[in-house]
Amino acid sequence: MNYSDFDLGMTTKITRRDLLQDAGLISLGLGITPSAAAATTLGADHTSYPPTRTGLRGSHPGSFEGAHAYARDGLPHPKPQPLDEAFDLVIVGAGISGLAAAYYYQKRFGVDRKILILDNHDDFGGHAKRNEFHQGGRLQLAIGGTHNLEYWQFSETVSALMQTLGIDIPKLRQQTDFNYGRNGAKGRAIWFDAETYGVNKLVTGCSLKGPPSSSPLPYLDQFPISTTAKTELRAFYKRQTDVLAHLSSAERADYLHTTGYFDFLESKGGLGAEARQLFKTACHGSWGLETACLSVAEALDDGLPGLNLIGETAAESDWDYPVGIFPDGNASIARLLVQRLIPSIAPGVTADTIATTDFDYSQLDRPQNAVQIRLQSTVIDVAHQKGAVHLTYLFGGKAFALKAKQCVMACYHSVIPYICPTLPAAQKAAQRYQVKYPLLLTNVLIRSRAPFTELGIDGAACPGRLHSALFLMNGVETGGYAQASDDPGPVPVTFWGSLSPPDGIENFWDKLRASRTRMLNLTLEDYEREVRSVLQDLLGPAGFSAKRDILAITVNRWPHGYSHEYLDLWDPKWEEGQAPHEIARQRFGNITFANADAGASAYTHTAIEEAARAVAELGAQGLH
Ligand SMILES: Cc1cc2nc3c(=O)[nH]c(=O)nc-3n(C[C@H](O)[C@H](O)[C@H](O)COP(=O)(O)OP(=O)(O)OC[C@H]3O[C@@H](n4cnc5c(N)ncnc54)[C@H](O)[C@@H]3O)c2cc1C
């Protein structure tokens, strides 16, 4: 439905304002040092406290423009002011990988080593982003980025770090009944919106991907799509065959890995464009990609339908996904790491109390501490010269230069060629290859879950909308924080997905770039209007009013989201040691390379493993 801004509550006063880069603005022209500015402005009160900031977060305004202008677009660097600071190690990027690198460095070389971590955001953690809401009268936490701990994939290195941080995954599991909505009791629902499908229609009981018991087959009559599309889908879901029976096992594997899933749906599944559209964005959350970019094997592995056409079946248990999760996701991991590096930031905090403990951000960048974390600081130049590493970074519109004995680049790799121009050409080409997949995670605090309860859902796929899914963020009662699934009070609704590129772009890398551009070009009002309209249309029949019942909105944009994992349809098969990430992460003088990109794998545990490797690769030279 077309609502006026007034109807949607766009003119209602809620917390959605972007706090500008206070520290940057304050320091501009005042001649004070970055660490002093950060200390004066980032106190632990709830007006300037970074996790409470709403509006555009993730890549927030002010965090990326410097890198784009000076590093990417080649604007001549301002003359840097040399800083009289000496560090053993400078780490570029305060994501999980950068923070873990500081931990491993201390472990290897001693806790008295001087470490500086620089990050362009106003909060640490990178993708491990904590969204706090207080507008409902008490603390409500939501995930702003990475959140699942997929512990069954942990290496010994990662498990050991979890143990050091006091993270007990079985205990996290016991205290959680949040299930992403995917196989939770009320998670099976598809919401068709009027703008795309002509009528608003909620169909409960089925999913577009998931276990056999969530098949849409018994529900197809309710779908607001043409009779032709329904007939095609009915035949597709009902058919039990093996369309590849004539192929040898090698040919079969080749087909599954070299054929696009959408081609398969069309040629083997008999689905026309209208029926295929239903699945267009179904992998936005899990892959950050259009489903059409995936091979048959990748899409089936992600739970999309079609196993019945290749003579295979799935068990219900294949969809079990028993992750460990904190109420603010892996921001708790980032916070535990920061507390270990700078204990005075939250004295005595443990994994049991981390979720509810305020951090004193004024402790982050104190010269008397062994580890300093300097936020809102965008590195624009890094060079290895005569056994030392020279760095230039921007803070508050000014450039500062400093020197360290060694450096770990824990930022995403595609920016590195711009800021380390002296790297070998082949290494820079390999780093440029790592174009990340964009992700979007918008949290909306609503007054009560009652409308969801009345509709009998706790989440829904939204195949026609900007965000491809939404779910209630509750049922995680870990880390000293309680937000029961049946709590009647305010609750965050998480809108989850990526952004489709404009139609007509064929090249995979161009699609990613177009999605990213679209993500950065949409305004806060665009995102706000979208989530308000969706909630009004979906929940309005259950008494929800967007004007009355929305308390706060936080949009986490991640234009550089998931690391590029090699894809069947788009990447060659690399020889051992020749894959771009293996070339990209080779040590260069006293500079080594971490970040999940270094493992070509979009996981928190990869970010940790790559940090351990990057620190192990640092030579002992230059340390004394
Ligand atoms: C929305 C989302 C959900 C995810 N969910 C999961 C999940 O559930 N489970 C999982 O295991 N993984 C998940 N991931 C993958 C996630 O990327 C990794 O888990 C991990 O957090 C990556 O950490 P990192 O330190 O390698 O990179 P990042 O978190 O990206 O940290 C790198 C930091 O370096 C900064 N930086 C870049 N350039 C500069 C510069 N020039 N100067 C200074 N700083 C710079 C960046 O801005 C960033 O803050 C998710 C990712 C996203 C985006």
Side-chain angles (χ1 to χ4, degrees):
M1 216 173 123
N2 279 334
Y3 297 103
S4 70
D5 282 359
F6 179 77
D7 290 337
L8 286 176
M10 295 283 293
T11 51
T12 310
K13 195 170 169 355
I14 62 156
T15 310
R16 59 176 162 241
R17 153 180 83 108
D18 293 313
L19 289 176
L20 287 171
Q21 307 310 295
D22 331 31
L25 295 174
I26 287 169
S27 71
L28 198 64
L30 295 183
I32 57 175
T33 63
S35 64
T40 49
T41 55
L42 297 174
D45 66 277
H46 283 157
T47 50
S48 63
Y49 194 54
T52 63
R53 293 179 178 179
T54 57
L56 290 175
R57 300 295 291 155
S59 278
H60 58 74
S63 65
F64 55 89
E65 295 82 349
H68 284 183
Y70 293 106
R72 188 191 67 186
D73 301 338
L75 193 72
H77 293 177
K79 192 169 171 356
Q81 174 188 325
L83 291 176
D84 187 19
E85 295 178 301
F87 295 98
D88 292 299
L89 177 72
V90 171
I91 298 171
V92 180
I96 295 271
S97 204
L99 298 171
Y103 162 76
Y104 289 118
Y105 191 85
Q106 281 195 329
K107 199 166 171 235
R108 180 172 171 203
F109 296 113
V111 290
D112 54 339
R113 296 290 166 188
K114 285 293 291 174
I115 302 175
L116 175 68
I117 309 178
L118 296 165
D119 195 280
N120 55 321
H121 290 107
D122 63 11
D123 203 352
F124 55 81
H127 297 156
K129 173 73 77 187
R130 173 178 168 99
N131 286 175
E132 275 188 27
F133 296 108
H134 295 263
Q135 294 79 358
R138 65 182 161 106
L139 170 67
Q140 309 280 335
L141 291 172
I143 49 176
T146 173
H147 45 285
N148 293 323
L149 287 173
E150 308 198 4
Y151 57 87
W152 57 93
Q153 296 189 50
F154 286 2
S155 62
E156 271 178 34
T157 305
V158 176
S159 297
L161 178 62
M162 294 296 146
Q163 204 173 2
T164 301
L165 297 177
I167 295 168
D168 178 347
I169 304 241
K171 191 164 149 196
L172 283 182
R173 292 285 310 143
Q174 271 169 19
Q175 296 172 335
T176 303
D177 69 6
F178 169 72
N179 210 350
Y180 240 148
R182 57 193 269 161
N183 44 4
K186 296 172 188 161
R188 294 169 182 183
I190 306 169
W191 185 62
F192 297 89
D193 66 290
E195 210 174 299
T196 313
Y197 300 100
V199 61
N200 288 321
K201 175 87 185 163
L202 176 68
V203 179
T204 60
C206 60
S207 314
L208 292 170
K209 57 181 194 176
S213 62
S214 72
S215 167
L217 185 57
Y219 303 87
L220 288 173
D221 281 342
Q222 298 178 50
F223 283 24
I225 55 177
S226 71
T227 309
T228 308
K230 279 185 206 174
T231 307
E232 290 167 359
L233 283 163
R234 197 167 289 113
F236 167 68
Y237 278 109
K238 269 190 176 162
R239 210 165 149 212
Q240 295 295 338
T241 185
D242 184 357
V243 295
L244 308 180
H246 59 291
L247 300 179
S248 69
S249 62
E251 288 167 337
R252 185 183 177 88
D254 185 58
Y255 175 88
L256 294 172
H257 288 281
T258 60
T259 308
Y261 178 66
F262 266 30
D263 293 342
F264 168 79
L265 288 184
E266 186 177 7
S267 61
K268 308 290 187 203
L271 298 188
E274 186 186 351
R276 292 198 304 274
Q277 184 280 332
L278 289 180
F279 307 105
K280 183 174 181 290
T281 60
C283 299
H284 268 192
S286 49
W287 275 94
L289 295 174
E290 300 294 284
T291 305
C293 293
L294 300 180
S295 69
V296 182
E298 288 161 343
L300 296 181
D301 190 52
D302 202 43
L304 281 156
L307 284 176
N308 54 315
L309 298 192
I310 58 165
E312 292 185 24
T313 52
E316 286 294 302
S317 58
D318 291 348
W319 273 266
D320 285 350
Y321 194 47
V323 294
I325 187 166
F326 281 92
D328 59 356
N330 293 337
S332 278
I333 313 282
R335 282 156 59 85
L336 286 166
L337 276 166
V338 168
Q339 199 276 339
R340 197 171 172 89
L341 299 169
I342 309 173
S344 58
I345 199 162
V349 77
T350 67
D352 283 329
T353 55
I354 189 71
T356 50
T357 301
D358 274 349
F359 272 35
D360 176 2
Y361 276 63
S362 70
Q363 299 293 317
L364 279 178
D365 192 8
R366 299 210 152 184
Q368 60 268 40
N369 291 338
V371 179
Q372 292 174 247
I373 300 178
R374 192 162 296 164
L375 299 174
Q376 302 177 103
S377 301
T378 302
V379 175
I380 53 169
D381 196 56
V382 180
H384 173 97
Q385 279 167 14
K386 296 185 189 151
V389 182
H390 297 257
L391 294 102
T392 305
Y393 70 93
L394 291 174
F395 178 90
K398 289 187 168 180
F400 298 89
L402 54 79
K403 209 164 83 168
K405 291 175 183 163
Q406 299 187 308
C407 173
V408 172
M409 300 295 291
C411 53
Y412 48 85
H413 282 195
S414 62
V415 74
I416 297 176
Y418 299 110
I419 54 184
C420 300
T422 54
L423 291 179
Q427 186 164 10
K428 287 191 285 187
Q431 290 163 345
R432 275 193 202 98
Y433 195 85
Q434 279 281 358
V435 180
K436 289 196 187 245
Y437 311 161
L439 285 162
L440 182 64
L441 221 159
T442 303
N443 288 309
V444 181
L445 187 71
I446 60 169
R447 203 172 289 280
S448 158
R449 63 161 294 141
F452 279 90
T453 306
E454 186 168 330
L455 294 174
I457 59 169
D458 59 18
C462 308
R465 300 308 303 196
L466 193 81
H467 304 80
S468 62
L470 58 85
F471 52 83
L472 290 170
M473 185 61 213
N474 58 10
V476 186
E477 302 206 359
T478 56
Y481 171 83
Q483 168 69 302
S485 297
D486 55 359
D487 187 316
V491 60
V493 182
T494 299
F495 285 73
W496 173 235
S498 180
L499 269 191
S500 293
D503 287 338
I505 302 176
E506 294 304 323
N507 179 280
F508 175 72
W509 315 97
D510 291 343
K511 276 185 205 280
L512 293 177
R513 291 189 183 95
S515 292
R516 177 184 313 151
T517 303
R518 186 173 170 220
M519 185 175 283
L520 291 178
N521 285 347
L522 288 176
T523 63
L524 177 59
E525 286 68 32
D526 294 328
Y527 289 111
E528 179 171 354
R529 196 170 286 112
E530 169 66 15
V531 293
R532 283 182 178 276
S533 306
V534 167
L535 289 178
Q536 186 59 52
D537 280 340
L538 170 66
L539 305 177
F544 179 87
S545 157
K547 193 159 51 171
R548 184 192 61 212
D549 296 329
I550 289 179
L551 303 177
I553 299 175
T554 299
V555 182
N556 297 279
R557 300 179 299 182
W558 297 113
H560 303 278
Y562 288 148
S563 293
H564 177 63
E565 300 191 3
Y566 299 120
L567 291 163
D568 285 342
L569 302 181
W570 306 99
D571 293 289
K573 297 279 168 269
W574 312 99
E575 294 289 320
E576 172 94 27
Q578 293 307 307
H581 72 286
E582 294 169 311
I583 297 170
R585 69 187 183 195
Q586 284 168 8
R587 172 180 150 182
F588 181 75
N590 286 3
I591 307 172
T592 61
F593 300 87
N595 194 282
D597 283 355
S601 165
Y603 291 100
T604 292
H605 52 262
T606 307
I608 294 169
E609 276 155 14
E610 293 305 319
R613 181 199 43 75
V615 170
E617 280 180 5
L618 286 171
Q621 87 278 19
L623 281 175
H624 298 286

